[in-house]
Amino acid sequence: MQHNWTRHFRIIIGFVFACAVAGWWLGSVLIGLCTGLALYLAWTLVQTRRLHQWLADPDASDEAPGSVGLWGDLFDSLHRQHQKHLRSRDLLQTRINRVQESTNAMRDGVIMTNADGAMEWWNWSAEYLLGFRRETDRGQPIHNLIRSPSFKRYFDARDYREPLDIRSPAKPHIHLQIQISLFGDDDRLIVAKDITRLFQLEQMRRDFVSNVSHEMRTPLTVISGYLETLTDNADDAPPRWQKALNTMAQQADRMEALITDLILLAKLETGEQQVNDNVTNVRTLIEQTCSDARALSGEAEHQIETEIGPRHFVFGDEGQLRSAFSNIIFNAVKYTPAGGTIRIRWYTDKEGAHLAVKDSGIGIDMVHIPRLTERFYRADPSRHQQTGGTGLGLAIVKHVLLNHDGNLEINSHPGDGSEFICHLPRARIAEAPIETAQGISD
């Protein structure tokens, strides 16, 4: 490049010298220089016009305008840059087309929007699942097309760790799972998955569990009643009959507890059991539950310690909270060896209210923790007969906390015991009722 500039500079100097010599030969050096300058300016204007015409439509010709000297090098450089740009554009367009073709082949709906929710692109599945129209919907806010308050809250919240389940606005019989990802300058990539089949299977499971549980309760009550009668009058029966009756009575009790938990879990999952947001005294609830836990401990003589903070009133359903707290505390008793320690702590902070139950048991392997709240899941199936639980306790805890806008945290390592923490949001913390506050002051 430096060599080209030196050569062009020498040519210009030579041209100026030639004009000066010609002017001297004609009798006026100034006239020669002015004439040369005018010719050079005219030639420069012609080249500038050609450049302007070519830049206005560079694709009209495969070749750049021909010229010499500095303008020739300029035209050639611009032509090479343009060809390089065309190759890059074609390559990028090919990749975009390939991505769009592969996305159009997906059964899941894919939508791209900007930060404000204006729709920029979507695939064919999105048209089918959500009813979009390419002729009129491009550039429209997605909230105008998916008119769901829950979707708008989910879109604006910018917390997309969990998906959102909604009905299709175009086909109400289709259930969709919406997952949003952020990219670029707060642009959104929205994926809509058809989960109608899964929803129907889940609904069938819930209906089956609910119906079977209710249908089994009546005959089981009859069987338990007769077993209780036989057990009360089995003093004269042979020892092996007494053992059989006692075993049947224990199994009937376990079955009744299982059915009770199944019915409760079905109500929690379907929303049939509404949350009564009354002011609940957590101190009283924990003390009553700990009293039952000490009775459950019996000869194991667990050391149950409690620490309850001053702000121990919450808005919530006392029955549901009692079920959740008792499940966690009773599990600590069941899975802690005799003589072990169980620490129960209720405290509040800027995040909300928390119930922490820590035991000195054998602990749980990390691989099991993500699945502990699944119904019937057990970290150690061999202890099923020993503990006598239904396998639904933590599933009930999970749904109770969800009903109260909270969540369950599990911390455990083998050999170091376990800690279960129920988190409730700050909005659930209540002040002491007036009559309670008066009683304290008196």
Side-chain angles (χ1 to χ4, degrees), residues 156-209:
D156 296 336
R158 296 172 55 87
D159 183 5
Y160 306 132
R161 290 172 294 181
E162 296 294 332
L164 171 70
D165 295 345
I166 62 172
R167 289 180 179 270
S168 167
K171 300 176 176 62
H173 66 280
I174 295 180
H175 292 265
L176 300 175
Q177 185 179 83
I178 304 295
Q179 181 71 64
I180 301 180
S181 301
L182 290 171
F183 72 98
D185 296 329
D186 279 346
D187 296 336
R188 265 77 164 180
L189 178 67
I190 305 173
V191 179
K193 181 179 296 186
D194 185 353
I195 58 168
T196 305
R197 179 64 175 168
L198 292 176
F199 179 84
Q200 292 173 344
L201 290 174
E202 182 66 16
Q203 189 63 43
M204 289 173 59
R205 182 195 63 77
R206 291 176 179 175
D207 294 342
F208 173 79
V209 170

Side-chain angles (χ1 to χ4, degrees), residues 279-323:
V279 177
T280 299
N281 189 337
V282 177
R283 175 186 292 277
T284 302
L285 192 153
I286 292 177
E287 289 175 349
Q288 293 174 352
T289 304
C290 288
S291 177
D292 295 338
R294 292 186 179 93
L296 177 64
S297 175
E299 297 179 356
E301 298 182 349
H302 295 100
Q303 300 295 321
I304 301 179
E305 304 172 357
T306 60
E307 178 185 345
I308 303 175
R311 304 186 67 182
H312 51 83
F313 291 91
V314 296
F315 294 107
D317 189 297
E318 182 175 350
Q320 291 192 23
L321 292 175
R322 183 185 302 275
S323 176

